[in-house]
Amino acid sequence: MPRKVALVAAGMSKFGNRPEATPKALFDEAWREMAGRVDRPWSGHADEAWIGTVGFGGHQPGNSAALFLQGTPSQGAPAHRVENACASSGFALRNAFLAIRAGAADVAVAAGVESMNPYSKAHRGAWLGVSGDTEVERASGLTFPGVYALMARAHMQEFGTTREHLAAVAVKNHANGAHNPHAQFQKPTTLDKAMGAPMVADPLGLFDCCSTTDGAAVALLVAEERVPEFTDHPVWLLGSGAATDTLALHDRKEWTGMPATRVAAAQALTAAARRIEEVDFAEVHDCFTIAEVMASEDLGLVKKGQGGNAAAAGRTALTGDIPVNPSGGLKAKGHPLGATGAGQAVEVFEQLRGLAGGRQVKEARLAVTHNVGGSGATCAVHVWEADA
Amino acid sequence: MPRKVALVAAGMSKFGNRPEATPKALFDEAWREMAGRVDRPWSGHADEAWIGTVGFGGHQPGNSAALFLQGTPSQGAPAHRVENACASSGFALRNAFLAIRAGAADVAVAAGVESMNPYSKAHRGAWLGVSGDTEVERASGLTFPGVYALMARAHMQEFGTTREHLAAVAVKNHANGAHNPHAQFQKPTTLDKAMGAPMVADPLGLFDCCSTTDGAAVALLVAEERVPEFTDHPVWLLGSGAATDTLALHDRKEWTGMPATRVAAAQALTAAARRIEEVDFAEVHDCFTIAEVMASEDLGLVKKGQGGNAAAAGRTALTGDIPVNPSGGLKAKGHPLGATGAGQAVEVFEQLRGLAGGRQVKEARLAVTHNVGGSGATCAVHVWEADA
């Protein structure tokens, strides 16, 4: 029986448009919040770190993991930059988890950071596009909204999903985000407003798309036997699963779901020895509203084809039977690419420690996080549980 | 006692100027050589993969790990892109090693790939620079040859190292590369030629600098109990060590060596329960001749300050008491950034299996590989042993 892995602290920067902050400054802000949440006095030293960032441009695109640790008490520790597009820090979590299980680290950092504001809107689109298939999709002018719009159309045709269903996801996530002080958008919206927003890529309107965001998040994982040095209230990271798929949609048989999500989820739940029916809430990768619909189906939170209906019926709301994205999700909390997976761990920490204030999921004990790169080419899923 | 990790196959593409090959094509070429070296019939399926690539530009800068597996029998397995500058695939090796120890994978791929030819010489210089410190060094126009030239000057002043010592490293590595069919340069050179070459950054001339290279390398690691399915002649990966340091030289106390090398080496040797004196040969990161001098000292292969002397006296030659870079090193084999760490594993495989032909180190049983990112901001060291 391998030793258990605990999340003993997690923190993040304010997510948003942060032109004043460099990626390093965002990382340091997240680190400070994380360190401030360790219950016992801690040296600040971690044995190893994995830091997810897409960072194709910017100040320090290469060898940045060393820079992020510089000036922290963990300076000098082995550090890895992980880049799996928007799933970068979901995979950072996986690596930190594995290192602790392997006995290579007792204390490991899994983090993510992204600074998107330095890029013009035009450059940002081109830059984002290079995480999808570049040979055909990008060359054809198909950006991510376009790719997800194709999946939305397929889902509508096969399952009767409507634009109202999609808008309901946005309304729900903005309602949750209104209670999240870290979120980029903290204002509720209405179905009318979401439905009436300008079209981006038919059928996806402005409110169906997440924003571009600057931000960072840092999670501190420790081996079971070291937990008492950090806290009396660990959150347990029970299982990790991951998978890849083809980059391009046209190489896949299925457009109404993501096989990589199903493989990663099965692996994570098996490792955790838990069933999806036991999960109290999920943080899923809603880069577009249709992505949340597909994720809630692929994870098995709702039946295939029922993701849109479930959102519209309030089942995935904070007070529903299976709350999805209590943080506000990528939609309202914001989506600083490389920071999103680690940001999900921050939400799990706050929820399972009862710190989530107005967005607290009642009696939350078991949670799933789901982080996707590209349009499903990479996916990492993690299962978390509150201490007994 | 954690289970042991074995290298059961490793292969690489031809290193060189390969404008006809995409990064994916280079990866596939390396994969085919690796797969062809598995002694038993193998499905081609690995449980997980770590792929190092710097790849700031090119066809698929984002989410590329998924692309590299696509079309191989391992398509769909979790895959991570690791980017730690020129140490990217040294850290990929470390992650694969840890995953097998953790029990998360029985069969793992550690690979690296880089395509540098698509960039003009001018762009290549700017692009390489972003793996060093960008805030002061790069902004001051200090490129990597300049950074290493400062270290060379400091080494000369403190230890009496000469340009002849440095040139001796180049001559030795080109002599070794002449026996390596994978190498970019397969022609011996002379001390006169090396000394007379154009100056790049005083005191480093053209022969003190490695080249820019296209190439890929793939290593297949498996858990001890699965070895018999692959081969009767495993190479054991006994230990892994890694460390980081500041990105910029001016933030370090020492310019004549790399503290990260010493930390990583100590960690790897301790994990392996071996002493450096037992090592039969080393593959070290000679991006510049002075880098090999410092590495041989920091690893403890020779005394501090004696790295230059040792090369000039033939001690690090194939027939010397401690052969360094029998492959030809980055200098002659070539340096496709992200592929270099995995490429060192290929040399270890060939040497410890007795496949190295004209560059075979006699009675080689224990080896060290040493992979550096930037000017020492990241470093990974591995210890390998032939089967008993």
Side-chain angles (χ1 to χ4, degrees):
Chain A
M1 191 67 181
R3 59 186 183 171
K4 285 174 75 179
V5 177
L7 174 70
V8 295
M12 58 194 276
S13 73
K14 170 80 173 65
F15 277 14
N17 188 27
R18 303 283 307 273
E20 85 293 355
T22 63
K24 172 63 171 153
L26 294 167
F27 180 88
D28 288 346
E29 186 179 327
W31 180 282
R32 282 191 299 273
E33 184 171 90
M34 175 278 289
R37 287 172 165 186
V38 178
D39 293 334
R40 302 267 154 73
W42 171 50
S43 68
H45 175 78
D47 299 322
E48 193 142 354
W50 283 263
I51 302 169
T53 187
V54 173
F56 296 129
H59 302 296
Q60 188 68 48
N63 226 8
S64 57
L67 174 68
F68 290 122
L69 285 195
Q70 206 169 318
T72 74
S74 292
Q75 180 175 326
H80 313 238
R81 175 188 166 212
V82 183
E83 186 279 308
N84 275 10
C86 307
S88 294
S89 58
F91 279 81
L93 282 168
R94 177 169 175 79
N95 282 306
F97 174 79
L98 295 181
I100 293 175
R101 300 273 269 217
D106 281 349
V107 181
V109 161
V113 56
E114 210 71 60
S115 193
M116 300 177 76
N117 79 72
Y119 306 96
S120 66
K121 278 182 190 172
H123 180 191
R124 222 180 276 166
W127 179 64
L128 283 165
V130 296
S131 291
D133 169 66
T134 60
E135 289 194 8
V136 175
E137 289 178 356
R138 187 184 176 212
S140 317
L142 198 57
T143 59
F144 274 122
V147 169
Y148 278 88
L150 288 172
M151 293 193 270
R153 276 278 168 232
H155 204 277
M156 287 172 158
Q157 182 154 344
E158 195 164 340
F159 301 110
T161 299
T162 65
R163 285 205 65 219
E164 286 79 0
H165 290 155
L166 299 180
V169 171
V171 171
K172 183 259 299 173
N173 287 351
H174 278 286
N176 294 350
H179 299 288
N180 187 348
H182 286 113
Q184 180 164 16
F185 303 110
Q186 301 180 26
K187 258 174 62 176
T189 191
T190 63
L191 200 67
D192 279 355
K193 213 165 162 184
M195 292 287 295
M199 191 56 75
V200 174
D202 192 8
L204 302 178
L206 189 63
F207 275 72
D208 292 301
C209 308
C210 72
S211 55
T212 57
T213 309
D214 306 320
V218 181
L220 186 65
L221 302 173
V222 313
E224 177 170 27
E225 58 267 38
R226 299 287 299 274
V227 169
E229 297 170 40
F230 293 84
T231 184
D232 289 336
H233 306 287
V235 169
W236 299 102
L237 175 47
L238 298 182
S240 171
T244 57
D245 198 349
T246 66
L247 281 171
L249 274 193
H250 60 78
D251 286 326
R252 291 186 214 156
K253 287 188 188 133
E254 178 190 343
W255 288 24
T256 59
M258 292 185 186
T261 296
R262 296 198 294 272
V263 173
Q267 195 184 105
L269 287 161
T270 301
R274 296 290 181 276
R275 289 174 302 111
I276 193 69
E277 293 78 13
E278 300 175 277
V279 167
D280 297 311
F281 75 93
E283 283 282 309
V284 311
H285 197 90
D286 61 321
C287 47
F288 298 92
T289 50
I290 183 63
E292 176 169 319
V293 169
M294 293 189 294
S296 53
E297 297 171 2
D298 287 329
L299 290 169
L301 301 169
V302 302
K303 286 203 181 113
K304 188 68 198 164
Q306 292 302 306
N309 257 328
R315 289 187 55 206
T316 56
L318 268 190
T319 52
D321 62 284
I322 178 62
V324 173
N325 283 327
S327 71
L330 286 61
K331 185 73 203 76
K333 189 169 73 167
H335 181 29
L337 313 185
T340 285
Q344 293 175 330
V346 177
E347 181 67 12
V348 162
F349 180 79
E350 298 192 5
Q351 290 286 349
L352 296 185
R353 292 273 294 253
L355 307 169
R359 65 183 199 286
Q360 182 68 48
V361 176
K362 294 277 178 335
E363 294 169 25
R365 290 204 31 82
L366 192 69
V368 161
T369 55
H370 163 260
N371 190 199
V372 169
S375 58
T378 43
C379 180
V381 172
H382 289 88
V383 179
W384 314 77
E385 193 168 54
D387 198 36
Chain B
M1 191 65 183
R3 61 187 182 168
K4 286 175 75 180
V5 177
L7 174 71
V8 295
M12 58 193 277
S13 73
K14 171 78 173 67
F15 277 13
N17 188 28
R18 304 282 308 269
E20 84 295 355
T22 63
K24 173 62 171 154
L26 293 167
F27 180 89
D28 288 345
E29 185 179 328
W31 179 283
R32 280 192 299 273
E33 185 172 87
M34 175 279 288
R37 287 171 165 187
V38 177
D39 293 334
R40 300 267 153 73
W42 171 50
S43 68
H45 175 78
D47 298 321
E48 192 142 356
W50 284 264
I51 302 169
T53 187
V54 174
F56 296 131
H59 302 296
Q60 187 69 47
N63 227 8
S64 57
L67 174 67
F68 289 123
L69 285 195
Q70 206 169 317
T72 74
S74 291
Q75 180 174 327
H80 311 239
R81 174 188 166 210
V82 183
E83 185 279 307
N84 275 10
C86 307
S88 294
S89 57
F91 280 81
L93 282 168
R94 177 169 175 79
N95 282 307
F97 174 78
L98 295 181
I100 292 174
R101 299 273 269 218
D106 281 349
V107 181
V109 160
V113 57
E114 210 71 61
S115 194
M116 301 178 75
N117 79 70
Y119 306 98
S120 67
K121 278 182 190 171
H123 180 192
R124 221 180 277 166
W127 178 65
L128 283 165
V130 295
S131 291
D133 170 66
T134 61
E135 291 193 8
V136 175
E137 289 177 356
R138 187 185 175 210
S140 317
L142 198 56
T143 58
F144 273 122
V147 170
Y148 278 89
L150 289 172
M151 293 194 269
R153 276 277 168 232
H155 205 277
M156 287 173 157
Q157 183 155 342
E158 196 166 337
F159 301 110
T161 299
T162 65
R163 287 203 65 220
E164 285 79 2
H165 290 155
L166 300 180
V169 171
V171 172
K172 183 259 298 173
N173 287 351
H174 278 285
N176 293 350
H179 299 288
N180 187 347
H182 287 114
Q184 180 165 16
F185 303 110
Q186 302 180 26
K187 257 174 64 175
T189 190
T190 64
L191 200 67
D192 280 355
K193 213 165 165 184
M195 292 287 293
M199 190 58 74
V200 174
D202 190 6
L204 302 178
L206 189 64
F207 274 73
D208 292 300
C209 309
C210 72
S211 54
T212 56
T213 310
D214 307 319
V218 181
L220 185 65
L221 301 174
V222 313
E224 175 170 27
E225 58 267 36
R226 300 285 300 273
V227 168
E229 296 169 40
F230 294 83
T231 183
D232 289 337
H233 306 288
V235 168
W236 298 101
L237 175 47
L238 297 182
S240 170
T244 58
D245 198 348
T246 66
L247 280 171
L249 273 193
H250 60 79
D251 286 326
R252 290 186 214 156
K253 288 186 187 132
E254 179 191 342
W255 288 25
T256 58
M258 292 185 186
T261 296
R262 296 198 293 272
V263 173
Q267 196 184 106
L269 287 161
T270 302
R274 296 290 183 275
R275 289 174 302 111
I276 194 69
E277 294 76 14
E278 300 175 278
V279 167
D280 296 311
F281 75 92
E283 283 284 309
V284 311
H285 197 90
D286 60 321
C287 48
F288 298 92
T289 50
I290 183 64
E292 175 170 319
V293 168
M294 294 189 294
S296 52
E297 297 172 3
D298 288 329
L299 290 169
L301 300 170
V302 302
K303 284 200 183 115
K304 187 70 197 165
Q306 292 301 306
N309 258 329
R315 289 187 54 206
T316 55
L318 267 191
T319 52
D321 61 285
I322 178 61
V324 173
N325 282 327
S327 71
L330 286 62
K331 184 73 203 75
K333 189 169 71 168
H335 180 28
L337 313 185
T340 285
Q344 294 175 330
V346 177
E347 182 66 12
V348 162
F349 180 80
E350 298 192 4
Q351 290 285 350
L352 297 185
R353 293 272 294 252
L355 308 170
R359 64 184 199 286
Q360 181 69 48
V361 176
K362 292 280 177 338
E363 292 169 27
R365 290 205 30 84
L366 192 69
V368 161
T369 55
H370 164 260
N371 191 199
V372 168
S375 58
T378 42
C379 180
V381 172
H382 289 88
V383 179
W384 314 77
E385 193 168 55
D387 198 38

